[in-house]
Amino acid sequence: MPPRLVIADDNEGIRVLLRVLIEVDGRMKVVGEAADGEQALALVRSERPDLLLLDLSMPVLDGLQVLTEIRAAGIELKTLVYSGFTAAEVREAALAAGASDVLVKGVAPETVVARLAELAA
Amino acid sequence: MIAVSGRAPFAPRGLAPRGAPFVAILLIGFVLFLTGTPRHWGYFAAAAVVAALALASGALAPWERLPGIAAVAVPLAIVLSIALLREGQGGSLSGYGALFLLPTLWVACYGDRTQLLIVLAAMLVAYWLPIVVIGAPYYPSSQWRGGGLLVLIVGLFGLTIQQLLFDLGAEEGLRADAERRLREASAYELHDDVVQNLTVAQLALAVGDGERAQSAVDNALKVGQGIVESLLSTQTLEPGSLVRRDTDHPS
């Protein structure tokens, strides 16, 4: 059974295209999409995925708040932060909040899929 | 004329416009010496030397390497200079007591509270010490009351000025902070728009959706142009504003 993944990004285009890429790759199964931090948390709680691909800048709750809530709830999953912020402080904050890794938007899409697969392994 | 900051009264930047009114009034005081009697030129000369040294040190001393409190030396020297000038023309009858307001106003505007209290204390000494040492008729005992009240009133003015300047500085700080936050928020939104669109374009290319990629690039371009135009302030565009200085990058 392939690892289960939730995609959380407020940009619908990014969510849809990532889902296509991941499904074409075939190593993971997308079990939900969230357009804001609150939806992401709800999906994590209901679907109990193995992986979360998480944007940082989102409505309602941002990615750092989602990471903090996940940690506080004691939920075990690997989170790959996928954000447009390149500052080292942002990366450090995400890792400190519990992210497994951080990729900056702009990296090759294949890298995103490959990193998710590595985290799931 | 009045700077909000009281931390570097002799900082070179803006020192001339800051100090000019004070120096001008002090000079008028020295010139007016010629119009009164008696004229004890020795005191006048001593006052002039002390004032000149004080002003020169104010302009030339390496204040940035000295402790902040050292800046009070200049107004203190001016107090001494005025006391000598006053003594040179008949003490309390000279009318020079008003000049003591100059160094006090300076520290009120550009110094801190400690410096103000030190200069007020020096002003009090300048009023009262001659009553003890020299006495009437040049320094009658009424100067105990007159000098004391003047110092109290000037002290009230000085503290009020410092408080007002502090409040003004705090308000300016809040305004600057609000502006910075607004600018950051705008930059954040624009940054997000550009990155999101380019990411969509990149992903669309990866899945072979050229139409969506083109649309996303177009959107990113619009946002990017908005950013650049806001930076260039094209609302106030004038002929010649768009001349390139750098020919390394093609348009």
Side-chain angles (χ1 to χ4, degrees):
Chain A
M1 186 174 168
R4 303 167 76 250
L5 167 72
V6 164
I7 300 171
D9 196 306
D10 58 330
N11 187 298
E12 188 189 2
I14 291 177
R15 291 198 310 272
V16 169
L17 292 164
L18 277 172
R19 175 191 276 267
V20 172
L21 272 176
I22 290 162
E23 286 176 351
V24 167
D25 179 78
R27 284 180 282 178
M28 293 159 284
K29 177 179 172 59
V30 178
V31 294
E33 290 178 23
D36 63 48
E38 199 170 52
Q39 288 179 15
L41 262 183
L43 277 172
V44 165
R45 287 188 172 117
S46 62
E47 298 295 328
R48 294 287 167 167
D50 305 296
L51 289 162
L52 171 64
L53 182 63
L54 181 67
D55 186 18
L56 284 183
S57 174
M58 290 186 295
V60 191
L61 294 175
D62 67 27
L64 291 178
Q65 288 174 302
V66 172
L67 285 167
T68 306
E69 291 288 331
I70 288 172
R71 177 181 273 177
I75 299 169
E76 291 287 330
L77 85 165
K78 300 283 178 60
T79 306
L80 178 62
V81 166
Y82 184 49
S83 161
F85 294 103
T86 57
E89 294 84 1
V90 175
R91 178 183 175 83
E92 284 165 16
L95 292 174
S100 306
D101 198 3
V102 179
L103 287 180
V104 175
K105 283 177 177 168
V107 298
E110 300 77 25
T111 305
V112 181
V113 178
R115 189 70 188 112
L116 280 170
E118 284 170 17
L119 289 174
Chain B
M1 165 181 152
I2 293 174
V4 171
S5 169
R7 301 181 67 184
F10 298 107
R13 188 176 176 184
L15 180 59
R18 269 202 317 277
F22 292 86
V23 175
I25 294 171
L26 189 63
L27 279 176
I28 289 171
F30 275 90
V31 171
L32 289 176
F33 190 85
L34 299 171
T35 65
T37 54
R39 290 180 204 137
H40 299 293
W41 289 105
Y43 283 108
F44 177 86
V49 168
V50 171
L53 286 174
L55 296 178
S57 64
L60 303 173
W63 296 108
E64 69 282 359
R65 282 187 271 145
L66 298 171
I69 193 68
V72 80
V74 174
L76 281 180
I78 296 296
V79 169
L80 174 62
S81 170
I82 294 165
L84 291 167
L85 193 65
R86 191 169 176 240
E87 173 60 20
Q89 200 145 76
S92 64
L93 302 174
S94 68
Y96 277 132
L99 276 183
F100 285 125
L101 297 179
L102 273 183
T104 318
L105 186 60
W106 173 266
V107 288
C109 292
Y110 304 117
D112 57 30
R113 189 151 293 183
T114 306
Q115 292 173 0
L116 177 63
L117 293 175
I118 291 171
V119 172
L120 285 171
M123 185 178 163
L124 197 62
V125 170
Y127 260 100
W128 283 355
L129 190 62
I131 304 172
V132 177
V133 176
I134 301 168
Y138 288 155
Y139 298 98
S141 59
S142 62
Q143 287 291 294
W144 288 107
R145 183 176 60 238
L149 284 173
L150 187 65
V151 168
L152 279 178
I153 292 166
V154 171
L156 177 65
F157 276 129
L159 291 172
T160 304
I161 289 169
Q162 285 194 334
Q163 187 61 47
L164 287 172
L165 291 177
F166 177 81
D167 292 345
L168 195 61
E171 276 182 28
E172 171 63 17
L174 287 174
R175 192 191 60 76
D177 190 48
E179 259 186 23
R180 183 184 56 76
R181 284 171 186 271
L182 183 63
R183 210 167 40 241
E184 280 179 0
S186 304
Y188 172 83
E189 294 290 337
L190 291 170
H191 166 270
D192 207 39
D193 281 349
V194 172
V195 172
Q196 299 281 43
N197 277 301
L198 291 178
T199 304
V200 169
Q202 194 180 31
L203 292 169
L205 285 175
V207 300
D209 188 345
E211 194 176 330
R212 190 192 283 255
Q214 184 60 53
S215 168
V217 168
D218 289 345
N219 288 337
L221 187 61
K222 279 181 199 159
V223 178
Q225 281 173 330
I227 296 171
V228 173
E229 284 177 11
S230 68
L231 290 172
L232 286 174
S233 299
T234 49
Q235 298 91 334
T236 56
L237 198 63
E238 292 173 3
S241 301
L242 299 180
V243 173
R244 287 187 68 104
R245 306 283 187 261
D246 176 3
T247 55
D248 291 344
H249 306 98
S251 308

